[in-house]
Amino acid sequence: MALLIFSVMLVLLLLGFPMIVPLVAGTFVGFLEIFGDVSKMEFVIQQFLAGIKPASLVAVPMFIFAADIMTRGQSANRLIDMVMKFIGHIKGGLAVSTATACTLFGAVSGSTQATVVAVGSPLRPKMLKSGYKDSFILALIINSSDIAFLIPPSIGMIIYGVISETSIAELFIAGIGPGLLILVLFSIYSVIYAVINDVPTEPKASAAQRLKAVRDALWPLGFPVIIVGGIYGGIFSPTEAASVCVLYALILEGLVFKTMGFKDIFDTAKSTGLITGVVFILVAAGAAFSWVISFAQIPQELLASIGISEMGPKQILFVISLAFFVGCMFVDPIVVILILVPIFAPVVKEVGLDPVLVGTLVTLQVAIGSATPPFGCDIFTAIAVFKRPYIEVIRGTLPFVLILFFVTALLIFFPQIALFLRDLAFK
């Protein structure tokens, strides 16, 4: 049955159908194989509806809406300007500023693609003017946007938490350590690149300019304080944090900065609604698909075929990481999470692996795959935004991907990189 289901999905995918079609088709093929007719179709429909029932999913459109408001307003540019004023003058400072800006924007958006657009659009021209090669710039932007998937709020972590029934608050806190580690390693590589290629430095900002930049960025810096501080302090849940972020973004861009009127807010809400519709349809279909493959015990069959029951915890983490990384090289990250999490969930529970550690690793692999050839979604976002050919966009990605693999290995062998803050906050 597993071969039939995945063959149908693969054929439809190769024929060019959007991912929702193979996902739904695989679900119904599996259903017919199990029950033999359509008389019990209501069970599948119930699973579709159950997939979008969890209250935690409300955080997804809220964070998307807040990120969209900030991208259209001044918040993103103010954060970028503050980072530039402090580290733009060091060797490789512009590249380090770009990676840091991606991290900061990730802390208010939770979306890799939104980060590519918001940070890449203003900083790429500056880096080109300063003498950086475009292949390095594009690789830096799309791979630094991976940090947005780890630094809370992370939409990927929300989906994983709902599917695996893992605490989203704990996942958010656990993503901070690996995210900051990636930022440090990317910054070191950027400095080395700038020294080797003798990239000129930017003029050093004066104390007055830095002070003004900090003042301008104080309001946008409230977003990570609300999200991390509120959750860490037990003031509100991730879903409540998302709602507060939307209100804060509306006040900031509508009343404080005065960059958005009612029409702009309406257009932003409409855009968020369209994106949310796509995400929730995928989540619903993924839930039904998960129910079908679990009912048919396909996960047990697949995992038994690779001998996972004989593996140790670290080997299992390696297999999980590899599966999610390869999957996201070809398919949308949310779909990969929806399909693979239910497959690996039984063995994670059986072996006693920490689901928060597994979730952090999964999120990291999803992020890496999103920026890796051949079909990483961030690559095509960069192609669309920057109007550059595919080969040029992927040419400089290898060093960054190797760094991300190194962080993956560190997480597997030193899980406290992710779990230290989680344990401090919740244990």
Side-chain angles (χ1 to χ4, degrees):
M1 187 193 297
L3 182 60
L4 176 63
I5 290 174
F6 290 113
S7 295
V8 169
M9 294 176 70
L10 181 61
V11 169
L12 290 172
L13 197 61
L14 293 174
L15 288 174
F17 284 94
M19 192 60 215
I20 183 64
V21 176
L23 200 55
V24 172
T27 300
F28 282 107
V29 166
F31 170 82
L32 291 173
E33 281 290 305
I34 293 169
F35 294 104
D37 58 47
V38 295
S39 62
K40 294 183 173 66
M41 186 66 72
E42 69 269 15
F43 290 123
V44 177
I45 305 303
Q46 286 170 3
Q47 296 307 313
F48 271 92
L49 296 175
I52 54 175
K53 259 188 176 180
S56 302
L57 284 175
V58 175
V60 174
M62 291 290 185
F63 281 128
I64 293 172
F65 191 29
D68 208 353
I69 292 170
M70 289 180 287
T71 304
R72 296 181 185 220
Q74 290 186 10
S75 298
N77 287 332
R78 287 178 180 232
L79 289 172
I80 292 169
D81 186 57
M82 182 193 70
V83 174
M84 284 288 298
K85 289 294 188 288
F86 278 88
I87 56 180
H89 65 282
I90 66 173
K91 199 71 172 175
L94 193 52
V96 176
S97 297
T98 301
T100 307
C102 286
T103 303
L104 283 175
F105 192 75
V108 298
S109 72
S111 167
T112 60
Q113 290 163 296
T115 304
V116 168
V117 176
V119 177
S121 297
L123 286 182
R124 178 172 167 265
K126 290 183 180 180
M127 292 186 73
L128 285 170
K129 189 176 179 181
S130 295
Y132 289 90
K133 292 179 181 178
D134 207 14
S135 57
F136 170 82
I137 299 169
L138 295 170
L140 174 68
I141 291 168
I142 64 173
N143 284 280
S144 295
S145 70
D146 291 348
I147 303 172
F149 231 60
L150 286 164
I151 297 288
S154 166
I155 293 171
M157 283 183 170
I158 294 171
I159 302 295
Y160 172 87
V162 169
I163 301 278
S164 64
E165 298 181 347
T166 303
S167 167
I168 295 171
E170 291 188 31
L171 286 167
F172 276 6
I173 301 301
I176 295 174
L180 294 178
L181 176 60
I182 292 169
L183 171 62
V184 170
L185 295 176
F186 279 5
S187 298
I188 292 171
Y189 171 65
S190 297
V191 171
I192 293 171
Y193 175 92
V195 170
I196 292 173
N197 292 275
D198 195 25
V199 177
T201 57
E202 296 285 304
K204 187 175 181 178
S206 65
Q209 288 174 318
R210 289 179 177 179
L211 182 61
K212 182 180 182 304
V214 171
R215 284 174 179 167
D216 290 342
L218 278 178
W219 284 102
L221 285 172
F223 286 101
V225 173
I226 289 170
I227 297 164
V228 178
I231 295 172
Y232 188 91
I235 300 170
F236 37 60
S237 68
T239 304
E240 292 165 342
S243 303
V244 174
C245 276
V246 170
L247 178 62
Y248 189 71
L250 288 171
I251 293 171
L252 206 58
E253 299 296 349
L255 299 179
V256 179
F257 299 155
K258 300 185 187 303
T259 55
M260 298 186 73
F262 283 110
K263 185 181 184 304
D264 300 311
I265 293 171
F266 176 78
D267 291 341
T268 305
K270 186 168 66 174
S271 170
T272 299
L274 291 170
I275 296 169
T276 302
V278 172
V279 171
F280 272 50
I281 289 170
L282 285 171
V283 170
F289 180 78
S290 300
W291 177 78
V292 167
I293 65 172
S294 297
F295 192 90
Q297 295 193 322
I298 290 175
Q300 290 84 344
E301 292 178 19
L302 290 176
L303 295 176
S305 68
I306 61 173
I308 202 164
S309 60
E310 301 168 7
M311 296 180 182
K314 287 183 172 56
Q315 291 172 303
I316 292 171
L317 288 174
F318 173 77
V319 171
I320 291 172
S321 299
L322 183 62
F324 277 88
F325 166 70
V326 173
C328 285
M329 289 171 64
F330 299 93
V331 183
D332 183 90
I334 291 176
V335 175
V336 174
I337 292 173
L338 292 170
I339 293 174
L340 293 185
V341 168
I343 291 176
F344 286 105
V347 73
V348 168
K349 188 174 182 180
E350 183 181 336
V351 175
L353 288 168
D354 192 320
V356 173
L357 173 63
V358 175
T360 308
L361 267 171
V362 164
T363 306
L364 176 56
Q365 299 320 300
V366 164
I368 300 171
S370 299
T372 305
F375 301 120
C377 61
D378 288 343
I379 294 172
F380 293 97
T381 301
I383 290 170
V385 172
F386 305 126
K387 305 291 190 295
R388 302 308 303 160
Y390 178 86
I391 295 299
E392 188 170 337
V393 171
I394 68 169
R395 186 177 294 147
T397 57
L398 183 59
F400 294 99
V401 172
L402 291 176
I403 290 171
L404 292 168
F405 283 157
F406 176 65
V407 174
T408 299
L410 287 178
L411 271 178
I412 291 173
F413 287 100
F414 304 101
Q416 284 304 112
I417 294 171
L419 300 181
F420 173 75
L421 287 178
R422 191 282 307 267
D423 292 345
L424 196 64
F426 296 100
K427 298 295 182 182

